[in-house]
Amino acid sequence: RRHEREVERKKGSEMMHGGGYHGGFGGFANPFSRPMDWNALGKFDSITPAVQQHLMRVYACLSTGLMCLALGVYMDGKHHVSGTMTQVLLLGMIFALTMIKDLYNRLAIFHAVGLLMGCNLGPLVNQVAAFRPDIVMTAAMGTCTIFACFSAAAMVAKRREFLYLGGMLSSAISMLFAARFLNMIMGGALSSGLFAVELYGGLCMFMLYVVFDTQMIIEDAHNRRGDFVEHAMKLLTDFVAIFVRLLVILTQNAEKRERRERDKRR
């Protein structure tokens, strides 16, 4: 009996100190019993040096495009240049980007697209910044965080793991366009519900588009289709779509809080 009691005590002490089944911890695997492999966090097995170089070009081009976009917002705030002309020019520049093959001309057109996007976004951004500039900063920082996290997730994931999202996202964006067209035909009768669906559903959709487009860029780079200007254009579109929806959501939430505070004061 003494021997059996000693054996039970040893088992109990092993369970208390992280021993036992599969490393212990109360019958479950102890997450602290095995060393953390910090090098695994920085491994990008599907990204070769050539693909890394291509991604550096894509994100460098995207960064300068975002600078042009910020300049366009500033120009609209100072000179109010947005309007029908800037929208027509934006569509023309995007069409020209698909036709022109010269690299330097494509870079110039890409940055012009970023500038015109900023001009067209200017009225919305400047209107919010006039009353709550902190909302604009929060939306910008939130968009950068979302973009960085989802891009990193696409890079760390296995090759072609998220390419199946392409069909689903294409169907989702077609449904959003169809809902907007239906709302226009009905004279805005469904505007309140459809606007919420488009706002939150569109935000989730373009967040997934960041993952899909990043993996498509990596796949194209593996197959030697290294048009970094076109790839930067895709990511710029995703960035702007996320930023606009996040800005509208934050503005709506701030207005709701202000209404509640007014009601409480009354």
Side-chain angles (χ1 to χ4, degrees):
R1 292 179 179 176
R2 291 180 181 176
H3 180 68
E4 291 177 356
R5 290 176 182 174
E6 290 178 359
V7 171
E8 290 178 357
R9 289 177 182 175
K10 288 181 180 179
K11 288 183 178 180
S13 63
E14 288 178 357
M15 294 291 291
M16 290 294 292
H17 291 87
Y21 305 104
H22 304 289
F25 207 73
F28 298 96
N30 185 359
F32 304 104
S33 62
R34 60 179 183 179
M36 178 67 181
D37 187 8
W38 295 102
N39 294 325
L41 296 176
K43 287 182 179 179
F44 301 96
D45 296 332
S46 63
I47 302 179
T48 62
V51 176
Q52 290 179 7
Q53 188 176 7
H54 177 72
L55 289 175
M56 289 176 62
R57 292 177 180 175
V58 171
Y59 285 103
C61 189
L62 175 63
S63 301
T64 54
L66 290 174
M67 292 178 186
C68 291
L69 188 143
L71 179 61
V73 173
Y74 176 79
M75 287 175 58
D76 181 73
K78 287 292 184 180
H79 306 289
H80 304 287
V81 295
S82 64
T84 306
M85 184 60 69
T86 56
Q87 295 177 0
V88 172
L89 285 174
L90 177 60
L91 293 176
M93 289 293 179
I94 294 174
F95 179 74
L97 193 62
T98 61
M99 302 297 293
I100 296 175
K101 303 299 181 182
D102 182 67
L103 177 60
Y104 294 103
N105 290 331
R106 286 171 62 81
L107 284 171
I109 293 173
F110 170 78
H111 290 92
V113 168
L115 184 69
L116 291 169
M117 279 186 176
C119 293
N120 292 325
L121 282 176
L124 173 63
V125 177
N126 292 316
Q127 183 180 3
V128 176
F131 298 97
R132 293 290 301 272
D134 57 318
I135 293 180
V136 179
M137 293 300 298
T138 303
M141 293 176 64
T143 304
C144 291
T145 304
I146 292 171
F147 199 88
C149 291
F150 279 81
S151 297
M155 293 179 189
V156 173
K158 295 179 181 179
R159 187 175 170 186
R160 305 187 187 95
E161 186 173 2
F162 294 108
L163 295 187
Y164 71 92
L165 292 173
M168 297 170 57
L169 293 173
S170 298
S171 300
I173 200 169
S174 299
M175 291 174 63
L176 288 178
F177 278 119
R180 180 179 291 185
F181 182 72
L182 179 64
N183 190 32
M184 292 174 60
I185 293 176
M186 298 183 67
L190 305 175
S191 58
S192 58
L194 288 178
F195 182 74
V197 171
E198 182 183 356
L199 190 62
Y200 290 93
L203 177 62
C204 296
M205 183 184 65
F206 281 104
M207 287 165 64
L208 293 176
Y209 255 118
V210 173
V211 179
F212 172 73
D213 287 337
T214 303
Q215 284 219 324
M216 280 298 298
I217 290 169
I218 294 173
E219 190 64 24
D220 286 344
H222 276 293
N223 295 327
R224 300 182 183 276
R225 294 192 295 267
D227 188 357
F228 68 91
V229 179
E230 179 185 356
H231 293 160
M233 186 66 214
K234 292 180 180 179
L235 296 180
L236 180 64
T237 304
D238 297 338
F239 189 96
V240 172
I242 294 172
F243 172 74
V244 170
R245 284 162 177 79
L246 199 57
L247 181 64
V248 174
I249 290 171
L250 292 174
T251 304
Q252 287 184 345
N253 292 337
E255 291 177 352
K256 290 179 181 178
R257 284 194 298 267
E258 290 178 357
R259 290 173 186 171
R260 291 173 185 172
E261 292 177 357
R262 292 174 185 172
D263 294 337
K264 289 180 181 179
R265 292 173 184 174
R266 294 177 182 176

